[in-house]
Amino acid sequence: MNQQQDIEAAVKVLRNGGVILYPTDTVWGIGCDATNAEAVAKVYAIKQRDDSKAMICLVDSDVRLQRYVRNVPEVAWDLLELSTKPTTVILDNAVNLAPNLIAADGSIAMRITQEPFSKQLCYRFQKPLVSTSANISGEPAAQNFCDISEQLLNAVDYVCWSRRQEHKPHTPSSIIKLTHDGVVTIIRK
């Protein structure tokens, strides 16, 4: 299966409300349609994670990010442009997303991926993807495909083929919270 076929198969599952395992610009992720509340609920159940803990969304471009956050602060664009590693920004005023994905304060964690596979997947899907680490809550994140537990592999609807052979260190993204009134908080370096 080539990368294009892999992406097409993943998009089909996502459009039908399914959950996938896929490589990202950081660690392997569990993903679903970030606008589908039922799919988001499945991800929380698979991860055995309290649904009060927010999850990250991945998008392919700044244009797509702006469809899901009202009034992105200018400092967010500066941070994203100057970042030397994948950076997730938590922004206020999330819109057009599954309600169970938006934090109680109305914020959402978003990251624009530059990694070729996840960027193309997001582009082809045309919506944000949930991107939470491929692990049961509290366990180590799966840096590579070989780190994913059998339990997770059996719990999802599709497992991407791309980058399965990779064996190299991957780390989670930096996370920075930006509030509409200009407060910047570093959550994870």
Side-chain angles (χ1 to χ4, degrees), residues 135-146:
N135 61 308
I136 302 298
S137 195
E139 293 179 3
Q143 293 184 36
N144 296 288
F145 174 76
C146 61

Side-chain angles (χ1 to χ4, degrees), residues 7-124:
I7 288 171
E8 286 171 15
V11 166
K12 185 175 181 180
V13 169
L14 293 166
R15 287 196 177 128
N16 288 317
V19 176
I20 65 170
L21 282 170
Y22 68 109
T24 75
D25 52 340
T26 60
V27 297
W28 270 71
I30 302 173
C32 71
D33 177 350
T35 67
N36 181 329
E38 287 179 26
V40 170
K42 287 182 201 173
V43 172
Y44 278 118
I46 290 169
K47 275 194 72 91
Q48 299 171 26
R49 184 174 182 167
D50 183 347
D51 66 6
S52 67
K53 291 188 175 182
M55 293 189 288
I56 293 170
C57 292
L58 217 55
V59 292
D60 63 316
S61 67
D62 55 354
V63 171
R64 186 129 17 244
L65 184 144
Q66 291 177 82
R67 292 182 192 162
Y68 299 95
V69 177
R70 264 197 204 100
N71 305 317
V72 177
E74 199 58 42
V75 69
W77 302 122
D78 295 340
L79 280 169
L80 292 171
E81 191 175 308
L82 297 171
S83 294
T84 56
K85 69 178 265 189
T87 300
T88 300
V89 289
I90 301 173
L91 302 166
D92 289 338
N93 303 313
V95 293
N96 305 319
L97 294 164
N100 54 343
L101 193 57
I102 299 171
D105 66 359
S107 67
I108 189 69
M110 301 285 281
R111 186 169 73 247
I112 301 170
T113 182
Q114 299 303 327
E115 183 273 328
F117 180 84
S118 55
K119 187 174 185 78
Q120 184 66 14
L121 178 62
C122 289
Y123 174 75
R124 291 292 305 277

